[in-house]
Amino acid sequence: AWDQEEDEAWDEWWDMQLKAVEALGKLKVTEAVPTLVNALADDSGQDIEMNILIALAQIGGTGEEALLKRLTEGTPRERRRVALALKHSDSDSSMHALIDALMDTEEEVRIAAVEVMGERGNSFCLPAVIAMFKDASANVRHAALQSAMRLSDASDSNLEIDTLYQLVDDESPVVQQAVLRLINRRRLNEPGLIIPSKIQARIR
């Protein structure tokens, strides 16, 4: 942060705070959770809010509990940032919380949740991600498709081709393009796979 009272000089205290927060997370210092939670409520800590959220996710336990509460009770911005921070957790409870977040009323929260699920690579959540192919938001559907591709690749189990066919006529051109590229990749990697002629024409 810039110190406006000292001729635009860089505030070294901000760097020290950031390094301290990062260290507490990496070292999983449970005793630091109350301090980190209080920092989230302090306006002076807003510049490192995302770093604090990540540290809480890394610490786990009571740190993760604080995040999951914020994921259900926070503002849309707070819920989105918590979902992104949970990328740094590896607990089952945080993954189930992300699955629940797929039902959030805010598009940006659902997008963050489904993207993080894909990045974490837990194949057991693939059905929940596929269910988002029917989301009302084209942006969510596109994010879900990208995550489903990652999860499918990570688990060596392809998405059902019929599931992909359902998205070929999606109202969003972006989703259409993404799914046609995926089907074409499947066609090239699986010589025995028979693609309907009308979809082959769409790919071309």
Side-chain angles (χ1 to χ4, degrees):
W2 293 101
D3 188 341
Q4 300 293 336
E5 297 180 358
E6 296 185 9
D7 300 325
E8 303 294 326
W10 181 258
D11 183 358
E12 294 184 354
W13 175 241
W14 186 89
D15 280 335
M16 293 171 61
Q17 286 181 308
L18 176 60
K19 294 300 181 183
V21 167
E22 291 176 341
L24 291 169
K26 290 177 181 177
L27 295 173
K28 301 183 184 297
V29 182
T30 304
E31 294 79 6
V33 170
T35 300
L36 293 172
V37 171
N38 288 337
L40 288 173
D42 187 342
D43 290 341
S44 64
Q46 295 307 301
D47 287 338
I48 56 173
E49 178 188 5
M50 196 65 210
N51 304 88
I52 294 173
L53 296 175
I54 290 172
L56 290 170
Q58 292 172 326
I59 292 171
T62 55
E64 183 176 287
E65 289 173 9
L67 288 184
L68 300 190
K69 181 178 180 181
R70 198 177 180 90
L71 184 59
T72 57
E73 300 178 4
T75 65
R77 175 181 175 277
E78 290 171 345
R79 299 199 303 273
R80 173 183 174 274
R81 287 195 161 197
V82 168
L84 293 174
L86 289 178
K87 173 185 175 181
H88 301 272
S89 172
D90 58 4
S91 72
D92 290 340
S93 57
S94 65
M95 181 57 72
H96 286 296
L98 286 169
I99 292 174
D100 290 341
L102 296 179
M103 298 296 104
D104 197 281
T105 56
E106 296 293 329
E107 172 190 279
E108 62 189 64
V109 179
R110 300 198 302 277
I111 291 173
V114 79
E115 287 178 345
V116 168
M117 290 167 71
E119 290 170 0
R120 283 181 54 169
N122 298 74
S123 58
F124 85 86
C125 67
L126 182 57
V129 172
I130 291 175
M132 300 308 288
F133 289 174
K134 297 180 180 180
D135 193 273
S137 163
N139 293 328
V140 174
R141 295 197 300 275
H142 184 256
L145 179 60
Q146 299 300 319
S147 288
M149 289 166 58
R150 289 179 181 173
L151 292 170
S152 179
D153 290 343
S155 63
D156 294 325
S157 59
N158 281 317
L159 292 169
E160 291 291 337
I161 195 68
D162 288 342
T163 301
L164 297 177
Y165 291 160
Q166 294 173 16
L167 291 173
V168 168
D169 293 317
D170 191 276
E171 64 183 29
S172 166
V174 175
V175 175
Q176 288 182 29
Q177 185 180 62
V179 76
L180 288 171
R181 284 178 174 171
L182 178 55
I183 293 172
N184 189 48
R185 189 176 75 176
R186 290 280 299 275
R187 180 181 66 85
L188 296 174
N189 293 337
E190 302 174 37
L193 185 64
I194 300 175
I195 305 295
S197 57
K198 69 173 185 177
I199 293 182
Q200 291 186 39
R202 293 282 292 279
I203 291 173
R204 288 195 292 271

